[in-house]
Amino acid sequence: EEVEPETIKIHPRSEWTNEGPMSFDIFPITNIHRITIHHTAMPDDESQYSGSTILKLQKILYLHKHQKGWADIGYHYIIDQSGKIWEGRNIKYQGAHAQGINNIGNIGVVLIGNFELYRPTESQKKTLFEFVDYLQKKYNIKCKNIFPHEHFTGTKCPGKNMMGLVEQLQKGIK
């Protein structure tokens, strides 16, 4: 198993749930070559700077798996308000975050918050840049293959207050 660089700590899924994926509709990820950035934009994100991250992660899992009927949480990684990175769907599986075939080879990274209404915290921004840089190096992903969710579907995700950050990542500006 690879050792993560000291600056990147990914909190394992086991820290927030013991619920695994369903065996249906889950496929091995192939040829990782892009990253898509999201925001959670959940109804209680107004309280985005407070509350339990673990409860928020469990709520996303419940929404994706039990309400939408997906095999698992759609995103591979979640960045909370304090800048911590949490494992979502295991990276060995294709995600469910960018609609259909757009999920192939695509790492889903979501930041907790509604960035149509609010701005990401400084900690979230710092972690996003460091983590995307790490993923780019690890999987040899080019800057032009970093996308906002709205690139793939009719949504405002990751929100107007995140688009500038995604554009910086696409240009390789750290």
Side-chain angles (χ1 to χ4, degrees):
E1 189 164 307
E2 286 187 46
V3 177
E4 307 292 337
E6 296 233 357
T7 56
I8 300 295
K9 175 171 180 17
I10 300 169
H11 292 267
R13 186 179 169 115
S14 60
E15 284 187 25
W16 64 272
T17 186
N18 58 11
E19 193 174 325
M22 304 289 278
S23 58
F24 76 94
D25 200 30
I26 196 156
F27 306 98
I29 197 164
T30 55
N31 184 25
I32 295 173
H33 63 282
R34 58 186 163 189
I35 300 168
T36 298
I37 310 296
H38 303 262
H39 66 160
T40 53
M42 296 191 43
D44 65 351
D45 280 344
E46 303 85 65
S47 64
Q48 72 172 36
Y49 301 110
S50 63
S52 162
T53 294
I54 289 174
L55 287 177
K56 290 177 185 190
L57 297 173
Q58 291 170 344
K59 186 188 270 187
I60 298 166
L61 176 63
Y62 183 84
L63 175 71
H64 288 187
K65 194 171 168 186
H66 302 287
Q67 290 188 316
K68 293 187 176 191
W70 299 350
D72 197 4
I73 191 169
Y75 315 109
H76 294 102
Y77 301 103
I78 302 99
I79 300 174
D80 72 13
Q81 296 85 348
S82 69
K84 288 184 182 145
I85 304 166
W86 299 83
E87 178 188 25
R89 183 178 293 219
N90 190 302
I91 193 66
K92 70 183 178 185
Y93 297 120
Q94 179 176 297
H97 57 90
Q99 286 207 310
I101 62 167
N102 299 315
N103 289 304
I104 296 171
N106 193 345
I107 299 173
V109 177
V110 66
L111 284 73
I112 293 177
N114 183 335
F115 303 123
E116 196 57 28
L117 302 175
Y118 305 101
R119 297 190 179 285
T121 66
E122 288 304 313
S123 298
Q124 282 179 309
K125 287 194 272 192
K126 182 177 186 292
T127 296
L128 176 67
F129 282 102
E130 289 172 357
F131 188 52
V132 167
D133 183 62
Y134 160 77
L135 292 173
Q136 284 184 268
K137 288 176 179 151
K138 182 171 182 173
Y139 297 105
N140 194 26
I141 299 169
K142 294 175 175 42
C143 291
K144 67 176 185 166
N145 288 331
I146 299 169
F147 298 98
H149 181 205
E150 71 175 23
H151 176 83
F152 298 109
T153 185
T155 179
K156 290 186 174 170
C157 181
K160 65 185 179 197
N161 294 312
M162 270 292 293
M163 285 306 295
L165 299 177
V166 177
E167 288 162 6
Q168 279 181 259
L169 290 166
Q170 291 170 325
K171 292 175 182 160
I173 302 168
K174 301 291 190 258

